[in-house]
Amino acid sequence: MKRYLKLYFHFFKNCLVRELEFRFNVFALSIVHILWLGVMLGSVVLIFGQIDSIAGWEKQEVLILSVVALLFHDIMEMFFMGNLQRFSYFIRHGEFDFILLKPVNPRFMASFRYVEFQNIVRIIIMIFILVSFLQKAGIEPTIYEWAGFSTLFVGGLIVFYNIFFAIITTNFWLINVFNFSDIFDRLLSAGRYPVNIFQGRLKPFFVYIIPLGLIGTFSVEILLGKVNPISFWVVVIMVAATSLLSELFWRFALKHYSSASS
Amino acid sequence: MKKYLALIKTVFQDEFEYPAGIIYWVVLDLIPLVIMFYLWLVVYKTNAKIGDLSLNSMITYYFLMFIIFRLHAHSAFWLADLIKKGDIVGILLKPFNFLSYVIYRTFTRKWISLIISLPVIILALILLKDFIIFPESVLYLMAFLISLLLSMATFILIGIILGLVSFWTLEIGGLYYFCYNIMGFLGGLYLPLSLFPEKLAKALNFLPFYYLYYFPANIYLNQVSFSKIAIGFGISLLWLVLLLFFYKIIWHFGIKQYESFGN
């Protein structure tokens, strides 16, 4: 464990140094991402110019949810997305063999080798915006509520990492899941709205199969004082289930891997 | 003409070389439509009209966005990649006018994309049959189809112009995402422009983005008179001419100072 933490620290440092070689690019992208944050929040304000609530969620609550959902997206992108996107390239060009040859768990290398810093400024700004929105709404979460929020938030990250990792594992057979970033964006942008909008038979699908509630709804409900004990159990079960299934699928895929080159 | 038919055949082969990605995006592309459907279904429980649109109009609007989005090619990324890797030299050596090559390639890819999505589109139509409304007359339908073609052409040209910026910069992927998303936002892809403040919505009428999404949808939903459709076509064509002019200038200066790497 210590060895992997040390290795990850070196990966992190290496990626940060590389990113800072293109300082203007980082600066320009940060401005672009912050502007887009403004557009997204502006969309919510525009919708609420015509209505009072969405499935019982008021404007300030939906704004908080939007920020948390985007924070979720950016953190996923920072730590996982770059790695998973490169995986398709590695399989097609035979470079995955070099990962297998290293004395490190191949899943660790496939999942954590690269860290993307493009959104780091927006992540920091969004944390401040989140606190500001909570204050404006007159909400002061206790330390236990922040702990609950963090637990559900991190649980959601693990679940979606497992889901995306399972999707990208299909590259072993399908070779080129080239539009992975579209898949990623489509799924995660759906978490901007409260999962309560789903009714009837589709609700369980969007709670348990594609767990959109884990992107933002469940964790924000804790901050808003709407504690739902079922959410915790959903997260615990989904973390366990997706971790086990994605690992089993990965091992099955590795056994059937045939290299494209060497 | 033979060379363009050969190009179309090549594009077909390219698209189906690895069909897996197609399966993923055809299925997962339904998710935003499903989300919007349920969102507006809940919102309209307490509101009869929003931004002058009834529930059926709003659902139809997002169904149209689902289809129009399929027809828009994000060619900036592909062009930027060509320029960065030096592969543009291979195209310049071919017996094609560069702009014709890109347009033929892009149009072919997008029509393939629409054909592949047909089963999903039909499925969406069946599931939303109680909500989807249709144009009042054949004339409105024809005007809608013409506006779609204008929209495709405008989007391709904007994408080409963005992509050619790569003649001067190396790494610009994030900027493209932002540009495409802003075009979508100002064009009504994410929210109908009738939800925007009135003055802003009126000002957007004069930008090319308005004709990418909102204008075709408005025609389809019978929300525009024929005189306004004619004016809209005029402005859209004017923008096409201006964009073509920008393209010529950028191409002229870009290709002059271009140095190929790798070839």
Side-chain angles (χ1 to χ4, degrees):
Chain A
M1 181 71 175
K2 203 174 162 185
R3 181 172 155 241
Y4 281 93
L5 281 172
K6 205 172 166 184
L7 195 54
Y8 188 72
F9 170 74
H10 286 294
F11 290 158
F12 190 95
K13 206 169 84 167
N14 169 255
C15 291
L16 182 60
V17 163
R18 185 195 170 277
E19 200 73 37
L20 290 175
E21 279 181 19
F22 302 100
R23 276 184 286 270
F24 178 75
N25 193 44
V26 173
F27 173 74
L29 280 175
S30 299
I31 302 289
V32 157
H33 288 137
I34 291 163
L35 285 172
W36 186 243
L37 169 65
V39 166
M40 267 200 45
L41 296 178
S43 301
V44 175
V45 171
L46 282 174
I47 293 176
F48 275 91
Q50 311 275 336
I51 59 174
D52 294 324
S53 69
I54 296 174
W57 287 58
E58 291 170 10
K59 177 172 146 187
Q60 209 59 27
E61 294 172 338
V62 174
L63 281 171
I64 291 167
L65 176 59
S66 295
V67 172
V68 170
L70 192 53
L71 196 55
F72 188 96
H73 171 279
D74 283 357
I75 291 175
M76 283 286 310
E77 196 167 42
M78 182 172 173
F79 291 104
F80 304 118
M81 171 68 167
N83 296 287
L84 301 182
Q85 228 174 353
R86 283 174 174 89
F87 189 74
S88 173
Y89 176 87
F90 290 154
I91 293 286
R92 266 184 298 127
H93 294 264
E95 290 183 26
F96 184 63
D97 297 6
F98 301 113
I99 293 176
L100 288 175
L101 287 171
K102 288 182 170 47
V104 181
N105 183 303
R107 181 167 178 171
F108 175 82
M109 286 296 288
S111 302
F112 300 110
R113 171 61 186 89
Y114 297 96
V115 183
E116 308 283 342
F117 289 93
Q118 297 167 11
N119 286 324
I120 188 75
V121 174
R122 187 165 77 175
I123 289 172
I124 295 167
I125 288 175
M126 280 197 289
I127 293 170
F128 283 106
I129 290 177
L130 175 62
V131 171
S132 156
F133 279 170
L134 286 167
Q135 281 176 348
K136 200 173 169 187
I139 299 167
E140 287 179 16
T142 63
I143 192 150
Y144 300 106
E145 282 165 345
W146 278 115
F149 165 81
S150 305
T151 305
L152 289 183
F153 190 86
V154 171
L157 288 172
I158 296 171
V159 168
F160 271 90
Y161 156 71
N162 285 325
I163 290 172
F164 288 130
F165 194 80
I167 291 173
I168 216 70
T169 303
T170 58
N171 266 297
F172 281 116
W173 295 278
L174 303 177
I175 307 298
N176 189 11
V177 182
F178 56 81
N179 53 350
F180 179 71
S181 61
D182 286 338
I183 298 167
F184 174 83
D185 283 332
R186 294 265 183 283
L187 277 179
L188 292 194
S189 66
R192 281 188 290 135
Y193 301 105
V195 78
N196 315 60
I197 62 173
F198 298 108
Q199 296 148 24
R201 278 172 286 182
L202 264 187
K203 188 165 183 180
F205 178 80
F206 283 112
V207 172
Y208 304 114
I209 310 296
I210 303 182
L212 298 180
L214 292 180
I215 296 171
T217 306
F218 293 165
S219 52
V220 170
E221 278 177 341
I222 304 273
L223 291 181
L224 300 178
K226 300 177 188 177
V227 179
N228 185 353
I230 294 174
S231 310
F232 278 102
W233 287 112
V234 166
V235 171
V236 167
I237 291 166
M238 294 220 69
V239 165
T242 55
S243 300
L244 178 67
L245 289 171
S246 76
E247 180 62 21
L248 287 174
F249 187 43
W250 170 251
R251 289 183 189 194
F252 173 79
L254 270 184
K255 271 189 197 164
H256 293 84
Y257 171 61
S258 57
S259 166
S261 66
S262 46
Chain B
M1 193 61 204
K2 261 190 185 171
K3 59 188 179 188
Y4 289 106
L5 285 172
L7 169 62
I8 290 169
K9 190 178 162 191
T10 313
V11 172
F12 259 90
Q13 287 168 343
D14 268 346
E15 288 298 298
F16 290 100
E17 189 185 0
Y18 297 116
I22 298 170
I23 300 165
Y24 276 118
W25 65 246
V26 163
V27 172
L28 290 173
D29 248 6
L30 265 178
I31 290 179
L33 182 61
V34 171
I35 303 289
M36 283 298 132
F37 172 72
Y38 277 98
L39 173 71
W40 292 110
L41 207 58
V42 159
V43 165
Y44 273 88
K45 273 187 178 169
T46 48
N47 299 273
K49 273 202 169 189
I50 293 169
D52 294 332
L53 293 172
S54 63
L55 172 63
N56 287 2
S57 297
M58 189 65 86
I59 302 292
T60 308
Y61 182 89
Y62 280 98
F63 178 72
L64 291 169
M65 292 303 110
F66 173 66
I67 294 176
I68 296 173
F69 187 73
R70 263 190 170 41
L71 293 173
H72 284 167
H74 295 68
S75 41
F77 299 102
W78 168 71
L79 257 178
D81 212 41
L82 274 185
I83 293 170
K84 257 193 317 193
K85 290 180 182 167
D87 293 338
I88 194 170
V89 172
I91 298 174
L92 293 174
L93 290 172
K94 288 186 170 62
F96 293 107
N97 169 274
F98 181 76
L99 183 63
S100 305
Y101 178 89
V102 175
I103 289 173
Y104 265 88
R105 181 186 179 276
T106 309
F107 259 83
T108 307
R109 286 189 70 233
K110 286 295 106 188
W111 286 111
I112 292 172
S113 155
L114 190 65
I115 291 163
I116 291 167
S117 306
L118 265 178
V120 173
I121 291 172
I122 293 168
L123 175 67
L125 260 175
I126 293 169
L127 293 172
L128 297 172
K129 66 180 186 313
D130 294 333
F131 301 93
I132 300 287
I133 58 181
F134 294 94
E136 269 173 12
S137 66
V138 174
L139 279 174
Y140 268 112
L141 182 63
M142 278 171 57
F144 168 69
L145 292 172
I146 294 169
S147 69
L148 270 188
L149 282 172
L150 288 171
S151 163
M152 277 183 82
T154 308
F155 199 91
I156 289 171
L157 270 176
I158 293 175
I160 292 172
I161 290 167
L162 281 175
L164 293 183
V165 169
S166 278
F167 277 131
W168 292 275
T169 66
L170 274 179
E171 195 55 61
I172 202 160
L175 183 63
Y176 289 158
Y177 273 114
F178 178 70
C179 287
Y180 279 127
N181 282 329
I182 277 291
M183 279 161 48
F185 180 70
L186 296 177
L189 175 63
Y190 305 116
L191 278 180
L193 297 186
S194 53
L195 266 64
F196 285 41
E198 201 180 327
K199 282 186 181 164
L200 176 61
K202 276 195 176 138
L204 289 174
N205 277 10
F206 297 100
L207 293 181
F209 320 124
Y210 176 85
Y211 301 95
L212 296 177
Y213 302 100
Y214 190 69
F215 183 61
N218 243 8
I219 294 174
Y220 183 97
L221 292 170
N222 317 303
Q223 301 262 349
V224 198
S225 63
F226 281 108
S227 57
K228 285 199 172 152
I229 290 174
I231 294 170
F233 281 164
I235 297 176
S236 187
L237 281 166
L238 188 61
W239 271 111
L240 269 178
V241 170
L242 275 170
L243 288 168
L244 202 54
F245 180 66
F246 285 141
Y247 157 77
K248 293 260 185 213
I249 295 176
I250 290 177
W251 177 257
H252 172 75
F253 287 107
I255 206 71
K256 249 188 175 178
Q257 61 91 55
Y258 177 63
E259 287 172 1
S260 166
F261 299 99
N263 281 302

